Amino acid sequence: MPRDSRYDILFEPIRVGPLTAKNRFFQVPHCNGMGVSFPSSMAAMRRMKAEGGWAVVCTEETDIHPTGDMSPWIEGRLWDDRDIPAFARMNEGVHQHGALAGIELTHSGPRDPCLYSRESPIAVSHSPVMSFDYPGQARAMDRSDIRAYRRWHREAALRAKRAGFDVIYVYCRSATSLNGNFLSRARNDRSDEYGGNLVNRVRLLREVLEDTHEAVGDTCAVALRYTVDDQIGADGNADMEESREVVRMLAELPDLWDVNIREWDRDSMPSRFGPEGSQEEFVSFVKSLTSKPVVGVGRFTSPDTMVSQIRRGILDFIGAARPSIADPFLPRKIEEGRIDDIRECIGCNMCVSCDFTLVPMRCTQNPTMGEEWRKGWHPEIIPERASNDRVLIVGAGPAGLECARALGQRGYEVTLAEARNDLGGRVHDESRLPGLSEWRRVRDYRIYQIQKMPNVEIYRDSRLSPEEILEYGYPKVVLATGSKWRSDGVGRSIDRPVAGLADIQVRTPEDVFADRPIHSPVVIFDDDRYYMGGVLAEKLRMKGLDVTIVTPTSDVSSWTQNTLEQGRIEKRLHELGIIVLEKHTLTRVKDGEVVLQHVKSNRESIVPCASLLLVTMRLPTDELYWTLMENRDRLQAAGIRSVTRIGDCLAPSTIAAAVYSGHRYAREADAPIIEGVPFKREMIALE
């Protein structure tokens, strides 16, 4: 199918310095949990983006010297020539598909404590190390340090060129780079030619840009990644006029401007708190001040929004990190007129969490992310079926839908039976909570794909009994029946049922989903620690109920720190007038009250409560599995050779884990059983 002519502008070639990008799709630098620790995985993942049609594919921030060691963050490293081969492998794959390869060189200055190298961190001025609350400081750089840093950056740029990179970044952000550290009015207290007025503070950035051009600008494009609201005025707010002046001063020096905003939770805004294109109001001025191309991000998934950004003069390139993770083939699908086949990013930031948890990146929408090298998974290609076995899937939640979709793509004959009329399981329920509407994309994408498959049938309102499953006699039975929240208080911090629950109205998230009566005042005991407790508190408060949320952790919804949501969640709860009690656990219940205990002091307190909402842990809904498995002879007589649990029915976890579980079953159906480690590992070679 030819592409819609409205989107032709997205496929115009763009000149960047001495090079030409084949279209306007630009995968900006983003962390991925692979980098220096898993370079083969990183290379395969980036190569997949190039195959998917991105004109420019960049690697993550890459430290250039031991004094800017970013450990334990798993990023890129280019300290000497021994680091070149890993990047050369990535670039070879990117170039095979006609894309340009980019690298974001950086020295993180005072951000990181150099835990691996054990060098002393350096900064524009004496300052504390910012990461991990490490009790150390970065020392102020003297002129010889500045000369050394310029030399390190120049040498790294030359190594990047030898590694095959086409676009070489100079990074400028006050909290995470020396260039931005010097530029910052708030952080720079120097009195020499690198401090004081703006001309002096911008001096190092100008010099590094000029050094990089001189070193590699004959064949490589030099990009500047600039944080537009990084300049802070005397009132503590962004000084946008000074930021504009920086752009005016350097307007024509870079070959490309890559613009973003300061706080990571705004730059990678979760969909719960911001829409597509949320950065426009901050970055729109840049293009009017330079003739060089400008790239920016905004969780762009709609081609109409992309075209609007270009036609209105906001951006020249459509930058993406998260949308390129959710669908590496987004550009190709637009080019081929397959808009509805795009796996749209849901803005859950599960990908971001992997940077904090120090593991290779994963994605709720794209279960193949991170598996390109170690399992050989391709986001668009899957092996044809290996048998004529029919498959019965019970449960159309995220695991069941993905399993049916992937099995259908392989060519299997699949029947998907859902007990309810609504498809999507927990995704259907949770996407109706405040701010989570975009999570419906997990369900909607898979339903649309399945509806195109004549070999996959969906039956709604079909709660199957063990006898009915035996009667159907499908050779393969997959149970994706989900899980239910516990109603006895047992969870991470409580290992036995809470006393007195019979004396109060106890509710679980399922009761909220079903709109069952809940009385005020409500106490939510959140021992799950992800988003559920906070978003339920928000929903009930918006209905007019008095709400107190209690958690044993130091922060409400504490795990959402990994998804850049925690601060915004807590702020919203306080704005809504919800009482937040942290570092408290639930001990017992009596008429109209709950008794709490401080986790450190053991001091007890009593809170009035008409309804107690328990958000602790879930149990698999696996009764069907155990009933079927208790008589294997009946299974064999019915022609059923395997019964398999997937998703929350096997082990309750995240939606991303459920989708992965369903996809994995579909990939491995009829494959030989692998003993031992089920994927390739990257082994460190001994010197």
Side-chain angles (χ1 to χ4, degrees):
M1 180 185 300
R3 70 169 180 255
D4 191 317
S5 60
R6 292 177 298 168
Y7 307 138
D8 287 350
I9 194 172
L10 299 174
F11 296 92
E12 295 175 346
I14 302 293
R15 190 76 177 169
V16 186
L19 305 169
T20 299
K22 64 181 180 180
N23 60 43
R24 296 180 184 267
F25 291 95
F26 194 116
Q27 184 252 279
V28 298
H30 67 76
C31 55
N32 54 83
M34 302 173 194
V36 68
S37 297
F38 306 100
S40 297
S41 295
M42 183 272 293
M45 180 267 293
R46 301 294 187 195
R47 181 174 64 247
M48 195 67 72
K49 307 279 193 75
E51 183 182 342
W54 299 86
V56 183
V57 176
C58 299
T59 191
E60 63 272 30
E61 62 179 347
T62 299
D63 57 29
I64 63 172
H65 192 266
T67 57
D69 168 32
M70 291 187 282
S71 302
W73 305 118
I74 301 176
E75 310 290 355
R77 177 166 294 156
L78 197 52
W79 290 358
D80 59 33
D81 285 357
R82 288 172 293 181
D83 295 312
I84 289 177
F87 289 116
R89 179 186 296 179
M90 166 195 148
N91 295 334
E92 180 182 2
V94 169
H95 291 151
Q96 283 176 356
H97 298 284
L100 303 178
I103 184 170
E104 183 178 71
L105 301 178
T106 190
H107 188 299
S108 63
R111 185 189 72 178
D112 298 309
C114 299
L115 294 175
Y116 169 59
S117 70
R118 300 186 71 174
E119 295 293 326
S120 297
I122 57 178
V124 60
S125 306
H126 292 295
S127 62
V129 169
M130 290 177 281
S131 291
F132 316 109
D133 293 327
Y134 186 78
Q137 292 186 194
R139 64 176 179 83
M141 296 168 66
D142 59 25
R143 288 183 177 85
S144 65
D145 293 319
I146 293 172
R147 290 193 296 271
Y149 164 62
R150 289 178 59 186
R151 184 178 70 253
W152 300 336
H153 198 284
R154 186 179 189 279
E155 291 171 350
L158 288 168
R159 283 194 290 273
K161 179 179 177 178
R162 293 199 296 275
F165 283 104
D166 308 291
V167 181
I168 297 178
Y169 269 77
V170 174
Y171 189 36
C172 182
R173 189 176 184 183
S174 68
T176 58
S177 76
L178 281 179
N179 299 318
N181 211 224
F182 273 74
L183 183 58
S184 170
R185 181 191 304 170
R187 301 176 187 275
N188 185 337
D189 63 8
R190 304 176 72 97
S191 58
D192 60 8
E193 69 271 26
Y194 289 96
N197 61 50
L198 182 59
V199 172
N200 284 352
R201 284 184 282 116
V202 82
R203 187 183 308 277
L204 181 62
L205 177 57
R206 181 187 293 276
E207 290 174 341
V208 172
L209 281 166
E210 291 171 344
D211 292 343
T212 308
H213 262 297
E214 181 183 349
V216 301
D218 56 335
T219 59
C220 299
V222 177
L224 172 58
R225 194 170 216 187
Y226 179 64
T227 304
V228 298
D229 61 343
D230 220 5
Q231 305 311 105
I232 305 299
D235 60 358
N237 296 317
D239 183 348
M240 295 303 295
E241 186 49 48
E242 181 165 282
S243 186
R244 288 185 178 89
E245 186 58 30
V246 172
V247 178
R248 291 188 191 100
M249 294 169 70
L250 302 176
E252 302 303 306
L253 192 49
D255 296 315
L256 171 81
W257 285 84
D258 181 339
V259 291
N260 61 4
I261 53 181
R262 185 171 67 246
E263 291 93 352
W264 193 7
D265 68 334
R266 291 168 60 236
D267 190 33
S268 296
M269 179 76 76
S271 60
R272 184 173 169 184
F273 298 102
E276 180 180 14
S278 62
Q279 296 195 21
E280 179 177 329
E281 63 176 303
F282 301 99
V283 305
S284 59
F285 74 90
V286 176
K287 190 164 163 47
S288 66
L289 299 178
T290 178
S291 67
K292 301 302 177 71
V294 177
V295 60
V297 298
R299 198 168 51 83
F300 297 119
T301 59
S302 164
D304 295 303
T305 301
M306 300 174 192
V307 169
S308 173
Q309 291 273 318
I310 294 168
R311 293 202 182 281
R312 289 184 295 114
I314 309 299
L315 301 173
D316 296 290
F317 282 104
I318 300 302
R322 292 173 295 171
S324 74
I325 296 164
D327 198 333
F329 279 67
L330 182 151
R332 180 175 290 187
K333 289 176 181 178
I334 297 174
E335 186 172 25
E336 295 174 353
R338 298 190 293 123
I339 305 299
D340 293 331
D341 289 334
I342 295 172
R343 280 187 306 275
E344 295 180 287
C345 172
I346 69 170
C348 66
N349 283 0
M350 186 55 65
C351 55
V352 173
S353 75
C354 300
D355 195 48
F356 292 100
T357 54
L358 308 177
V359 294
M361 184 171 58
R362 60 210 58 185
C363 174
T364 299
Q365 277 283 60
N366 178 10
T368 69
M369 177 50 58
E371 305 294 342
E372 298 88 351
W373 177 79
R374 69 178 199 162
K375 285 195 170 182
W377 287 3
H378 191 288
E380 303 299 316
I381 302 171
I382 191 167
E384 292 185 2
R385 66 183 183 184
S387 76
N388 292 322
D389 287 350
R390 296 178 302 155
V391 185
L392 171 65
I393 302 173
V394 183
L401 285 172
E402 174 61 19
C403 187
R405 185 209 64 78
L407 284 170
Q409 184 182 355
R410 292 191 66 185
Y412 284 94
E413 182 180 331
V414 179
T415 295
L416 176 59
E418 167 56 42
R420 303 194 298 182
N421 182 59
D422 297 307
L423 304 178
R426 61 181 290 194
V427 171
H428 169 79
D429 295 330
E430 295 178 19
S431 64
R432 295 184 296 157
L433 296 173
L436 301 185
S437 62
E438 292 199 25
W439 292 25
R440 294 172 188 160
R441 294 173 171 180
V442 175
R443 174 198 64 193
D444 295 347
Y445 166 78
R446 286 161 179 83
I447 293 174
Y448 175 76
Q449 297 300 320
I450 289 171
Q451 287 173 339
K452 297 190 294 182
M453 299 176 180
N455 54 317
V456 180
E457 293 184 297
I458 300 178
Y459 292 91
R460 303 170 188 249
D461 291 318
S462 298
R463 185 179 298 277
L464 299 184
S465 67
E467 290 72 24
E468 288 171 320
I469 293 174
L470 290 166
E471 182 180 340
Y472 289 139
Y474 280 62
K476 292 182 172 63
V477 175
V478 180
L479 302 180
T481 46
S483 61
K484 296 291 185 184
W485 289 89
R486 291 189 72 139
S487 59
D488 57 4
V490 174
R492 283 181 168 82
S493 63
I494 299 175
D495 58 9
R496 64 195 65 187
V498 175
L501 290 180
D503 298 329
I504 204 167
Q505 184 188 70
V506 176
R507 295 300 195 205
T508 68
E510 280 92 9
D511 295 307
V512 180
F513 300 152
D515 291 323
R516 296 188 180 100
I518 296 179
H519 305 304
S520 185
V522 184
V523 173
I524 300 175
F525 180 60
D526 179 15
D527 207 14
D528 175 60
R529 310 181 187 187
Y530 193 16
Y531 57 85
M532 185 59 69
V535 76
L536 290 179
E538 184 178 341
K539 178 179 177 66
L540 295 178
R541 181 59 180 154
M542 291 169 66
K543 294 176 67 173
L545 281 65
D546 293 328
V547 180
T548 298
I549 184 168
V550 180
T551 179
T553 60
S554 299
D555 296 298
V556 67
S557 301
S558 58
W559 200 82
T560 63
Q561 294 178 28
N562 298 308
T563 55
L564 308 178
E565 297 171 284
Q566 195 281 325
R568 292 179 180 273
I569 290 171
E570 187 160 350
K571 179 181 178 183
R572 178 166 290 179
L573 295 180
H574 285 297
E575 288 174 345
L576 291 172
I578 295 167
I579 298 173
V580 178
L581 294 179
E582 294 144 339
K583 296 184 180 179
H584 281 81
T585 191
L586 178 65
T587 60
R588 62 189 182 277
V589 173
K590 54 185 179 179
D591 287 338
E593 296 175 332
V594 295
V595 180
L596 309 176
Q597 186 178 67
H598 194 278
V599 298
K600 299 298 183 183
S601 70
N602 295 328
R603 180 177 298 172
E604 289 191 343
S605 56
I606 296 176
V607 176
C609 176
S611 293
L612 175 62
L613 176 55
L614 295 173
V615 187
T616 56
M617 65 172 288
R618 290 171 287 148
L619 292 174
T621 307
D622 57 2
E623 297 84 1
L624 190 58
Y625 174 80
W626 294 111
T627 301
L628 289 169
M629 296 302 291
E630 67 186 9
N631 191 331
R632 295 175 184 267
D633 290 339
R634 291 184 66 195
L635 291 176
Q636 184 175 2
I640 298 174
R641 293 199 299 274
S642 67
V643 180
T644 308
R645 293 166 292 169
I646 62 172
D648 289 350
C649 177
L650 175 65
S653 186
T654 63
I655 296 173
V659 172
Y660 173 84
S661 178
H663 189 85
R664 180 179 181 180
Y665 175 88
R667 286 267 181 181
E668 297 175 356
D670 293 314
I673 296 176
I674 298 175
E675 299 292 342
V677 180
F679 51 83
K680 290 189 295 184
R681 289 192 296 157
E682 302 213 35
M683 306 302 292
I684 298 173
L686 297 178
E687 289 281 3

